[in-house]
Amino acid sequence: MVRAWYMDNSTADQRLEHHQDPPKYISLRDLYKLTGIEYFKIEGLDSLKDNELLNKLKKDRNYSYEDELVCSKECLPNYEEKLKSFFQEHLHTDEEIRLVLDGSGYFDGRDKNDEWIRIEVTPGDLLILPKGIYHRFTLDTKNYIKAKRYFVGEPVWTPHNRPADDLPCRKEYVARMLEGF
């Protein structure tokens, strides 16, 4: 089961859990209310083409392109640099959709008060981060994740590092956040 919690402000290794003291967990419902981040559990990773929930999400959201990404010391050239770049706070002009196939890691998203919420992902976890949300990604101490990425049309991987408040997608996101997800 996916876990989400508010992070501490430590600058120690980004791959650690970074719980507040005491830990402050949040529910998936609250995660959505506070950030707009959606979570789905995808069962049967060995036969994704027949997965009803995944196929419905792909159809309803017009995901027409997908690929796989492996992040590990062995597979990623300039591993430490790449990990630091993934961890730099940024946003995208499209949704970010990730389905974890193997391994584990963390997605961090900002809440309405600009505080970090850490989301632990493991196999079968699918996250949809709304366009315009400030977020970041890191591996955990196991240093390995394999994930599927989904896109509407041709993939757009461009990160817009903070501050990017003038982008239309950020303005739309803030308006949605103020109205309530």
Side-chain angles (χ1 to χ4, degrees):
M1 181 54 152
V2 76
R3 300 183 308 153
W5 59 85
Y6 277 96
M7 293 181 68
D8 63 19
N9 293 319
S10 170
T11 57
D13 187 343
Q14 69 194 42
R15 295 169 291 189
L16 300 176
E17 289 190 348
H18 286 282
H19 285 281
Q20 292 182 350
D21 186 20
K24 186 177 175 186
Y25 289 94
I26 64 168
S27 69
L28 292 175
R29 177 190 290 171
D30 287 341
L31 175 66
Y32 179 74
K33 283 184 191 177
L34 293 166
T35 65
I37 296 173
E38 297 176 79
Y39 170 81
F40 299 90
K41 183 65 175 178
I42 304 297
E43 303 289 345
L45 295 176
D46 53 338
S47 59
L48 289 177
K49 67 179 167 68
D50 300 322
N51 187 287
E52 288 182 33
L53 175 56
L54 182 58
N55 287 331
K56 180 175 178 9
L57 284 168
K58 288 167 60 174
K59 181 181 178 194
D60 291 350
R61 294 175 105 101
N62 296 315
Y63 300 153
S64 57
Y65 181 91
E66 62 186 72
D67 66 9
E68 279 186 18
L69 174 69
V70 175
C71 292
S72 71
K73 287 181 179 181
E74 296 75 29
C75 295
L76 220 64
N78 301 317
Y79 172 77
E80 294 294 334
E81 283 180 37
K82 282 287 190 193
L83 199 57
K84 285 178 184 174
S85 73
F86 294 156
F87 197 64
Q88 187 159 9
E89 185 174 5
H90 63 279
L91 60 77
H92 298 285
T93 57
D94 292 317
E95 292 180 331
E96 181 166 327
I97 308 95
R98 301 293 182 265
L99 170 60
V100 179
L101 301 173
D102 194 20
S104 51
Y106 302 117
F107 282 90
D108 301 336
R110 293 274 190 187
D111 76 355
K112 292 180 180 187
N113 298 315
D114 213 29
E115 294 183 65
W116 283 116
I117 296 173
R118 177 151 278 191
I119 307 150
E120 177 184 50
V121 290
T122 59
D125 292 338
L126 184 143
L127 287 183
I128 301 174
L129 286 76
K131 64 182 179 178
I133 187 175
Y134 285 122
H135 66 282
R136 60 192 183 189
F137 170 78
T138 189
L139 293 173
D140 59 19
T141 56
K142 296 176 189 123
N143 293 309
Y144 174 79
I145 197 166
K146 179 179 180 183
K148 275 198 163 289
R149 305 184 296 184
Y150 297 92
F151 300 89
V152 175
E154 288 298 312
V156 178
W157 292 292
T158 307
H160 299 276
N161 292 338
R162 190 171 189 171
D165 297 326
D166 290 336
L167 288 175
C169 67
R170 178 63 184 170
K171 291 178 181 179
E172 292 168 19
Y173 175 78
V174 170
R176 284 186 57 217
M177 184 172 49
L178 293 174
E179 291 171 6
F181 294 103

